[in-house]
Amino acid sequence: MFKIFKYSFFDLIRSRWTYIYAGFYFLFTLGMLMLSSDLSKVVISSMNVVLILCPLIATMFGVMYYYNSREFTELLLSQPIKRTSIFTGQFLGLATSLSVSLLVGAGIPFLMFGVFGSDQAGNFLVLLFNGVVLSFIFAAISFFIALKNEDKIKGFGLAILVWLLLAVVYDGLLLLGLSWFRDYPLEKASLIASVLNPIDLSRVMLLLKLDISALMSLTGAVYRKFLGSGVGMAISVAVLLIWTIIPTLGIRRVCLRRDF
Amino acid sequence: MIEITGLHKSFGKNHVLKGVELSLVPPGLIAILGPNGSGKTTLIKSILGMVIPDRGEIEVDGASIKKAWEYRRQISYLPQIARFPENIRVRELIAMVKDLRGETEMDVSLISYFGLQPFLDKKLGNLSGGTRQKVNLVLCFMYDCPIVILDEPTAGLDPVSLVRLKKLIKTKREEGKLILITTHVMDLVEELAEEVVYLLEGNIHFRGTVAELKEKYQGRNVEESIAALLQKDGPFSLGAVASNGHAKVPETLLEN
Ligand SMILES: Nc1ncnc2c1ncn2[C@@H]1O[C@H](COP(=O)(O)OP(=O)(O)OP(=O)(O)O)[C@@H](O)[C@H]1O
Ligand SMILES: [Mg+2]
């Protein structure tokens, strides 16, 4: 599996798209840091970008990489290599290269501006951690969808649909629900809803870490109580892990049944 | 040794293999024949574990291949359609396979045997069809395996390369290997094959030596025998196929 991982990783890390992706993070973060002297504000802006871009780009790269490497995959399948190793290795190479783009692209400017000497070091690390986790989750989901769908267009559409559901529609429905039932005490329900969606959960974790939960008004207190507690934090990390593990296991299962 | 029992495979509603039974013991050179879409490639890919059967059992050297992968070390495989990553070089691809499958020195002699030296630094996407097939052949033959499976090995090759390939196959046969070939070139069957397995409508319709095939279907050569077989038993048996084995050209094409 390690060799497949190595090939996928180096294949991707040399690709033009990886440079464009990392370059975007680099220029954006650098620009923000030059415009604002307040590191915490830059972390917040970066958060907004990371929470949208990591899932979206991981989704698109995931499907594209799967369909574009089909030839190589077929060659590998005829060799004495375990199927699960082939696909797990490819997925890990993909997710790692995405993470490296984020870490390098967004990380270097912060380092240049001395983030580790400031009070934002912790926030910065939480931001990168969530970005990496989201890259893994959405790379796994889209790779899984691509593996399940031989038809490129269908696979691409489905993967984007899942991203759309989790990144946009979910929040919209949540807000709608909250405003419909505003006479009821819904803090718990909205907390649960946020924890179940990896993007929302990442956002809540970061906002609390950044101490701007005041922005979230009433519900802020409930979130704070939950995520401030050891159990709440453990549950949050567990939820993120589950979101990573389930599609990864899905990849391993589906790949054993596919015809090539 | 390859032992196939009750092999079924459908793609959606398309029931391609309907309980294939086949036992192949080395040494031997067996031609797997059948019309387009009769399931030859599907059968071969099932042996390699690339296609997952719906039902039935495949054993290689006495062990089931289900969920197994190490048995593929015993198999040299030439895929029908050589699909390679487009933007890597021939040299890199060969190095990659060696890195994954293990060291070998045979690639060097095979590269010169098929005259591939000038192409080593070319990207695979830029190669001609026949040259790709030669790369395909190098990758297949650079490991010395007791089982050799060739899916349309002659596709796209020029006459010189064709002669070399046939020589190579004969050498492998003399070394006592089990060789499976699918092809639509009946001369190749005549020249190389000891046995013929004819797939038709999801089953093995005929199995026997080349002499037995000719004897049974009263053909002067393999081509005539196959044509006779199809006329007698095949989907074209109602006269859609003229006696020389070719379908009639539609009238509209003959106008003007
Ligand atoms: N992955 C797949 N998905 C769906 N259908 C498939 C797949 N692979 C093969 N088939 C179908 O199975 C049938 C048998 O195909 P196969 O490639 O095994 O034929 P073949 O005997 O090798 O034909 P040819 O002589 O043209 O190479 C065909 O109808 C083909 O369309
Ligand atoms: Mg075929």
PDB file of all heavy atoms in Angstrom, chain B residues 83-103:
ATOM      1  N   ARG B  83      -4.294   0.336 -21.815  1.00  0.00           N
ATOM      2  CA  ARG B  83      -4.602   1.690 -21.347  1.00  0.00           C
ATOM      3  C   ARG B  83      -3.542   2.088 -20.339  1.00  0.00           C
ATOM      4  O   ARG B  83      -3.392   1.468 -19.293  1.00  0.00           O
ATOM      5  CB  ARG B  83      -5.983   1.719 -20.724  1.00  0.00           C
ATOM      6  CG  ARG B  83      -7.060   1.271 -21.708  1.00  0.00           C
ATOM      7  CD  ARG B  83      -8.325   2.042 -21.565  1.00  0.00           C
ATOM      8  NE  ARG B  83      -8.889   1.974 -20.230  1.00  0.00           N
ATOM      9  CZ  ARG B  83      -9.737   2.865 -19.763  1.00  0.00           C
ATOM     10  NH1 ARG B  83     -10.087   3.887 -20.505  1.00  0.00           N
ATOM     11  NH2 ARG B  83     -10.233   2.734 -18.548  1.00  0.00           N
ATOM     12  N   PHE B  84      -2.797   3.111 -20.676  1.00  0.00           N
ATOM     13  CA  PHE B  84      -1.720   3.548 -19.805  1.00  0.00           C
ATOM     14  C   PHE B  84      -1.946   4.993 -19.387  1.00  0.00           C
ATOM     15  O   PHE B  84      -2.601   5.745 -20.092  1.00  0.00           O
ATOM     16  CB  PHE B  84      -0.375   3.476 -20.541  1.00  0.00           C
ATOM     17  CG  PHE B  84       0.006   2.103 -20.977  1.00  0.00           C
ATOM     18  CD1 PHE B  84       0.276   1.842 -22.310  1.00  0.00           C
ATOM     19  CD2 PHE B  84       0.087   1.073 -20.060  1.00  0.00           C
ATOM     20  CE1 PHE B  84       0.631   0.567 -22.725  1.00  0.00           C
ATOM     21  CE2 PHE B  84       0.447  -0.198 -20.467  1.00  0.00           C
ATOM     22  CZ  PHE B  84       0.718  -0.455 -21.804  1.00  0.00           C
ATOM     23  N   PRO B  85      -1.335   5.371 -18.244  1.00  0.00           N
ATOM     24  CA  PRO B  85      -1.342   6.793 -17.907  1.00  0.00           C
ATOM     25  C   PRO B  85      -0.688   7.560 -19.055  1.00  0.00           C
ATOM     26  O   PRO B  85       0.405   7.211 -19.492  1.00  0.00           O
ATOM     27  CB  PRO B  85      -0.489   6.879 -16.640  1.00  0.00           C
ATOM     28  CG  PRO B  85      -0.367   5.489 -16.127  1.00  0.00           C
ATOM     29  CD  PRO B  85      -0.594   4.563 -17.263  1.00  0.00           C
ATOM     30  N   GLU B  86      -1.357   8.595 -19.546  1.00  0.00           N
ATOM     31  CA  GLU B  86      -0.928   9.245 -20.787  1.00  0.00           C
ATOM     32  C   GLU B  86       0.377  10.019 -20.657  1.00  0.00           C
ATOM     33  O   GLU B  86       1.166  10.063 -21.588  1.00  0.00           O
ATOM     34  CB  GLU B  86      -2.020  10.223 -21.247  1.00  0.00           C
ATOM     35  CG  GLU B  86      -3.354   9.557 -21.511  1.00  0.00           C
ATOM     36  CD  GLU B  86      -3.392   8.863 -22.841  1.00  0.00           C
ATOM     37  OE1 GLU B  86      -3.323   9.555 -23.849  1.00  0.00           O
ATOM     38  OE2 GLU B  86      -3.461   7.620 -22.865  1.00  0.00           O
ATOM     39  N   ASN B  87       0.572  10.666 -19.512  1.00  0.00           N
ATOM     40  CA  ASN B  87       1.679  11.619 -19.490  1.00  0.00           C
ATOM     41  C   ASN B  87       2.921  11.160 -18.754  1.00  0.00           C
ATOM     42  O   ASN B  87       3.691  11.952 -18.238  1.00  0.00           O
ATOM     43  CB  ASN B  87       1.209  12.971 -18.943  1.00  0.00           C
ATOM     44  CG  ASN B  87       0.408  12.792 -17.682  1.00  0.00           C
ATOM     45  OD1 ASN B  87       0.530  11.750 -17.027  1.00  0.00           O
ATOM     46  ND2 ASN B  87      -0.407  13.758 -17.328  1.00  0.00           N
ATOM     47  N   ILE B  88       3.122   9.842 -18.699  1.00  0.00           N
ATOM     48  CA  ILE B  88       4.425   9.405 -18.196  1.00  0.00           C
ATOM     49  C   ILE B  88       5.167   8.713 -19.330  1.00  0.00           C
ATOM     50  O   ILE B  88       4.580   8.297 -20.325  1.00  0.00           O
ATOM     51  CB  ILE B  88       4.312   8.474 -16.964  1.00  0.00           C
ATOM     52  CG1 ILE B  88       3.667   7.148 -17.318  1.00  0.00           C
ATOM     53  CG2 ILE B  88       3.554   9.140 -15.845  1.00  0.00           C
ATOM     54  CD1 ILE B  88       3.815   6.156 -16.208  1.00  0.00           C
ATOM     55  N   ARG B  89       6.476   8.627 -19.167  1.00  0.00           N
ATOM     56  CA  ARG B  89       7.321   8.084 -20.227  1.00  0.00           C
ATOM     57  C   ARG B  89       7.386   6.561 -20.143  1.00  0.00           C
ATOM     58  O   ARG B  89       7.157   5.986 -19.089  1.00  0.00           O
ATOM     59  CB  ARG B  89       8.728   8.672 -20.119  1.00  0.00           C
ATOM     60  CG  ARG B  89       8.750  10.132 -20.440  1.00  0.00           C
ATOM     61  CD  ARG B  89      10.035  10.791 -19.989  1.00  0.00           C
ATOM     62  NE  ARG B  89       9.784  12.176 -19.619  1.00  0.00           N
ATOM     63  CZ  ARG B  89       9.485  13.145 -20.486  1.00  0.00           C
ATOM     64  NH1 ARG B  89       9.433  12.895 -21.771  1.00  0.00           N
ATOM     65  NH2 ARG B  89       9.240  14.361 -20.060  1.00  0.00           N
ATOM     66  N   VAL B  90       7.703   5.945 -21.277  1.00  0.00           N
ATOM     67  CA  VAL B  90       7.786   4.486 -21.342  1.00  0.00           C
ATOM     68  C   VAL B  90       8.747   3.974 -20.271  1.00  0.00           C
ATOM     69  O   VAL B  90       8.448   3.040 -19.522  1.00  0.00           O
ATOM     70  CB  VAL B  90       8.254   4.048 -22.743  1.00  0.00           C
ATOM     71  CG1 VAL B  90       8.463   2.548 -22.779  1.00  0.00           C
ATOM     72  CG2 VAL B  90       7.242   4.479 -23.795  1.00  0.00           C
ATOM     73  N   ARG B  91       9.910   4.630 -20.184  1.00  0.00           N
ATOM     74  CA  ARG B  91      10.929   4.229 -19.213  1.00  0.00           C
ATOM     75  C   ARG B  91      10.371   4.274 -17.793  1.00  0.00           C
ATOM     76  O   ARG B  91      10.582   3.361 -16.996  1.00  0.00           O
ATOM     77  CB  ARG B  91      12.107   5.191 -19.349  1.00  0.00           C
ATOM     78  CG  ARG B  91      13.374   4.774 -18.647  1.00  0.00           C
ATOM     79  CD  ARG B  91      14.354   5.937 -18.643  1.00  0.00           C
ATOM     80  NE  ARG B  91      14.810   6.342 -19.964  1.00  0.00           N
ATOM     81  CZ  ARG B  91      15.738   5.690 -20.671  1.00  0.00           C
ATOM     82  NH1 ARG B  91      16.279   4.600 -20.179  1.00  0.00           N
ATOM     83  NH2 ARG B  91      16.109   6.129 -21.851  1.00  0.00           N
ATOM     84  N   GLU B  92       9.626   5.348 -17.493  1.00  0.00           N
ATOM     85  CA  GLU B  92       9.072   5.506 -16.143  1.00  0.00           C
ATOM     86  C   GLU B  92       8.043   4.424 -15.831  1.00  0.00           C
ATOM     87  O   GLU B  92       8.009   3.892 -14.721  1.00  0.00           O
ATOM     88  CB  GLU B  92       8.400   6.875 -16.006  1.00  0.00           C
ATOM     89  CG  GLU B  92       9.357   8.042 -16.004  1.00  0.00           C
ATOM     90  CD  GLU B  92       8.642   9.389 -16.099  1.00  0.00           C
ATOM     91  OE1 GLU B  92       7.569   9.471 -16.743  1.00  0.00           O
ATOM     92  OE2 GLU B  92       9.161  10.351 -15.549  1.00  0.00           O
ATOM     93  N   LEU B  93       7.222   4.111 -16.853  1.00  0.00           N
ATOM     94  CA  LEU B  93       6.190   3.095 -16.639  1.00  0.00           C
ATOM     95  C   LEU B  93       6.830   1.741 -16.323  1.00  0.00           C
ATOM     96  O   LEU B  93       6.417   1.043 -15.396  1.00  0.00           O
ATOM     97  CB  LEU B  93       5.301   2.983 -17.875  1.00  0.00           C
ATOM     98  CG  LEU B  93       4.168   1.965 -17.736  1.00  0.00           C
ATOM     99  CD1 LEU B  93       3.129   2.452 -16.738  1.00  0.00           C
ATOM    100  CD2 LEU B  93       3.509   1.675 -19.060  1.00  0.00           C
ATOM    101  N   ILE B  94       7.853   1.393 -17.097  1.00  0.00           N
ATOM    102  CA  ILE B  94       8.513   0.107 -16.871  1.00  0.00           C
ATOM    103  C   ILE B  94       9.154   0.093 -15.481  1.00  0.00           C
ATOM    104  O   ILE B  94       9.030  -0.885 -14.732  1.00  0.00           O
ATOM    105  CB  ILE B  94       9.540  -0.161 -17.985  1.00  0.00           C
ATOM    106  CG1 ILE B  94       8.797  -0.355 -19.324  1.00  0.00           C
ATOM    107  CG2 ILE B  94      10.387  -1.388 -17.670  1.00  0.00           C
ATOM    108  CD1 ILE B  94       9.699  -0.465 -20.531  1.00  0.00           C
ATOM    109  N   ALA B  95       9.800   1.202 -15.120  1.00  0.00           N
ATOM    110  CA  ALA B  95      10.431   1.278 -13.795  1.00  0.00           C
ATOM    111  C   ALA B  95       9.385   1.153 -12.687  1.00  0.00           C
ATOM    112  O   ALA B  95       9.615   0.503 -11.666  1.00  0.00           O
ATOM    113  CB  ALA B  95      11.175   2.600 -13.659  1.00  0.00           C
ATOM    114  N   MET B  96       8.226   1.742 -12.933  1.00  0.00           N
ATOM    115  CA  MET B  96       7.150   1.721 -11.948  1.00  0.00           C
ATOM    116  C   MET B  96       6.663   0.294 -11.708  1.00  0.00           C
ATOM    117  O   MET B  96       6.494  -0.132 -10.568  1.00  0.00           O
ATOM    118  CB  MET B  96       5.987   2.533 -12.505  1.00  0.00           C
ATOM    119  CG  MET B  96       5.380   3.504 -11.583  1.00  0.00           C
ATOM    120  SD  MET B  96       4.824   4.810 -12.667  1.00  0.00           S
ATOM    121  CE  MET B  96       3.397   5.321 -11.959  1.00  0.00           C
ATOM    122  N   VAL B  97       6.432  -0.430 -12.808  1.00  0.00           N
ATOM    123  CA  VAL B  97       5.960  -1.808 -12.669  1.00  0.00           C
ATOM    124  C   VAL B  97       7.028  -2.645 -11.968  1.00  0.00           C
ATOM    125  O   VAL B  97       6.717  -3.475 -11.112  1.00  0.00           O
ATOM    126  CB  VAL B  97       5.587  -2.396 -14.046  1.00  0.00           C
ATOM    127  CG1 VAL B  97       5.286  -3.873 -13.923  1.00  0.00           C
ATOM    128  CG2 VAL B  97       4.395  -1.661 -14.629  1.00  0.00           C
ATOM    129  N   LYS B  98       8.291  -2.395 -12.283  1.00  0.00           N
ATOM    130  CA  LYS B  98       9.366  -3.151 -11.630  1.00  0.00           C
ATOM    131  C   LYS B  98       9.410  -2.848 -10.144  1.00  0.00           C
ATOM    132  O   LYS B  98       9.641  -3.726  -9.316  1.00  0.00           O
ATOM    133  CB  LYS B  98      10.713  -2.819 -12.281  1.00  0.00           C
ATOM    134  CG  LYS B  98      10.938  -3.627 -13.554  1.00  0.00           C
ATOM    135  CD  LYS B  98      12.032  -3.035 -14.404  1.00  0.00           C
ATOM    136  CE  LYS B  98      13.404  -3.415 -13.902  1.00  0.00           C
ATOM    137  NZ  LYS B  98      14.438  -3.001 -14.893  1.00  0.00           N
ATOM    138  N   ASP B  99       9.189  -1.584  -9.811  1.00  0.00           N
ATOM    139  CA  ASP B  99       9.182  -1.188  -8.405  1.00  0.00           C
ATOM    140  C   ASP B  99       8.048  -1.890  -7.660  1.00  0.00           C
ATOM    141  O   ASP B  99       8.204  -2.330  -6.527  1.00  0.00           O
ATOM    142  CB  ASP B  99       9.024   0.339  -8.316  1.00  0.00           C
ATOM    143  CG  ASP B  99       9.038   0.822  -6.881  1.00  0.00           C
ATOM    144  OD1 ASP B  99       9.797   0.233  -6.081  1.00  0.00           O
ATOM    145  OD2 ASP B  99       8.301   1.757  -6.550  1.00  0.00           O
ATOM    146  N   LEU B 100       6.913  -2.040  -8.335  1.00  0.00           N
ATOM    147  CA  LEU B 100       5.754  -2.631  -7.678  1.00  0.00           C
ATOM    148  C   LEU B 100       5.820  -4.152  -7.637  1.00  0.00           C
ATOM    149  O   LEU B 100       5.421  -4.784  -6.676  1.00  0.00           O
ATOM    150  CB  LEU B 100       4.466  -2.207  -8.403  1.00  0.00           C
ATOM    151  CG  LEU B 100       4.047  -0.762  -8.210  1.00  0.00           C
ATOM    152  CD1 LEU B 100       3.034  -0.347  -9.260  1.00  0.00           C
ATOM    153  CD2 LEU B 100       3.465  -0.570  -6.814  1.00  0.00           C
ATOM    154  N   ARG B 101       6.321  -4.725  -8.733  1.00  0.00           N
ATOM    155  CA  ARG B 101       6.225  -6.172  -8.840  1.00  0.00           C
ATOM    156  C   ARG B 101       7.529  -6.874  -8.483  1.00  0.00           C
ATOM    157  O   ARG B 101       7.542  -8.069  -8.183  1.00  0.00           O
ATOM    158  CB  ARG B 101       5.799  -6.540 -10.262  1.00  0.00           C
ATOM    159  CG  ARG B 101       5.467  -8.009 -10.384  1.00  0.00           C
ATOM    160  CD  ARG B 101       4.607  -8.297 -11.582  1.00  0.00           C
ATOM    161  NE  ARG B 101       4.312  -9.721 -11.630  1.00  0.00           N
ATOM    162  CZ  ARG B 101       3.435 -10.273 -12.449  1.00  0.00           C
ATOM    163  NH1 ARG B 101       2.759  -9.526 -13.282  1.00  0.00           N
ATOM    164  NH2 ARG B 101       3.225 -11.573 -12.434  1.00  0.00           N
ATOM    165  N   GLY B 102       8.615  -6.156  -8.567  1.00  0.00           N
ATOM    166  CA  GLY B 102       9.894  -6.766  -8.223  1.00  0.00           C
ATOM    167  C   GLY B 102      10.898  -6.620  -9.348  1.00  0.00           C
ATOM    168  O   GLY B 102      10.533  -6.334 -10.488  1.00  0.00           O
ATOM    169  N   GLU B 103      12.146  -6.808  -9.006  1.00  0.00           N
ATOM    170  CA  GLU B 103      13.236  -6.634  -9.971  1.00  0.00           C
ATOM    171  C   GLU B 103      13.161  -7.696 -11.064  1.00  0.00           C
ATOM    172  O   GLU B 103      12.670  -8.796 -10.849  1.00  0.00           O
ATOM    173  CB  GLU B 103      14.565  -6.757  -9.230  1.00  0.00           C
ATOM    174  CG  GLU B 103      15.640  -5.734  -9.540  1.00  0.00           C
ATOM    175  CD  GLU B 103      15.281  -4.637 -10.531  1.00  0.00           C
ATOM    176  OE1 GLU B 103      14.792  -3.557 -10.141  1.00  0.00           O
ATOM    177  OE2 GLU B 103      15.536  -4.864 -11.735  1.00  0.00           O
TER     178      GLU B 103
END
